[in-house]
Amino acid sequence: MGFKEKLAKHYTESYLKKYGDRLAQVQGNVVSVKVEEKTILWIFHKISAVLIVRPERSKSVIKCTYKKNKWFKKPEFITINQGNLVIVQGLKGKKGKENREVIEIMNVRNLTTKKDLVPVEGAQVKRVQKVQRMK
């Protein structure tokens, strides 16, 4: 194992140790999307998105939030419409806090348009081609 692999493994283990019990993943249809962008003095950009997702085979809904601040460059958020099938990966709120039912979005994968908020290598849907045999 090289130095880079050891460092990546250490970061992964420490992240899982810190946030392991709070990691959450939700797959379902989008009920509501609200994206707000704000610019302060043409320099500081803020974006906040609120998704309400209804998991598959469930009557309940889950609220997911995404907040990003950036200097100079405008932060991006993928286009998500009502009814799209999505996978939301993020962190649940801390126990005992007011936002314990809200998921803080780390990554969103829109399965309808096959787009990711944060591209993940090897996450693309691979199609298997049939090989015809000659007799």
Side-chain angles (χ1 to χ4, degrees), residues 10-112:
H10 175 69
Y11 280 136
T12 305
E13 288 175 356
S14 63
Y15 187 84
L16 286 175
K17 185 178 177 184
K18 185 175 181 181
Y19 296 116
D21 59 336
R22 293 178 50 202
L23 287 174
Q25 182 170 323
V26 177
Q27 179 175 352
N29 292 328
V30 176
V31 176
S32 175
V33 180
K34 185 177 181 182
V35 179
E36 295 177 356
E37 297 177 357
K38 190 172 183 179
T39 304
I40 301 171
L41 294 175
W42 307 285
I43 296 173
F44 189 68
H45 299 279
K46 291 183 173 186
I47 189 169
S48 64
V50 177
L51 297 176
I52 298 179
V53 179
R54 186 178 62 82
E56 294 176 335
R57 296 180 231 102
S58 175
K59 291 183 179 180
S60 64
V61 293
I62 298 173
K63 185 177 179 181
C64 308
T65 60
Y66 177 76
K67 292 182 181 179
K68 191 78 166 180
N69 300 327
K70 222 166 190 187
W71 290 92
F72 303 110
K73 283 190 172 184
K74 191 174 182 181
E76 296 289 326
F77 192 74
I78 60 174
T79 56
I80 297 176
N81 296 321
Q82 184 177 358
N84 284 1
L85 185 63
V86 295
I87 296 177
V88 177
Q89 298 170 338
L91 295 174
K92 293 180 192 173
K94 292 186 178 180
K95 289 185 180 179
K97 298 284 183 174
E98 61 201 36
N99 64 346
R100 66 179 179 266
E101 298 297 322
V102 178
I103 294 179
E104 297 174 26
I105 296 174
M106 293 169 46
N107 194 7
V108 176
R109 180 151 200 212
N110 191 344
L111 297 176
T112 307

Side-chain angles (χ1 to χ4, degrees), residues 121-133:
E121 67 179 59
Q124 296 179 2
V125 178
K126 296 179 181 177
R127 294 184 181 160
V128 177
Q129 296 178 353
K130 292 183 180 178
V131 178
Q132 296 179 355
R133 296 184 183 185

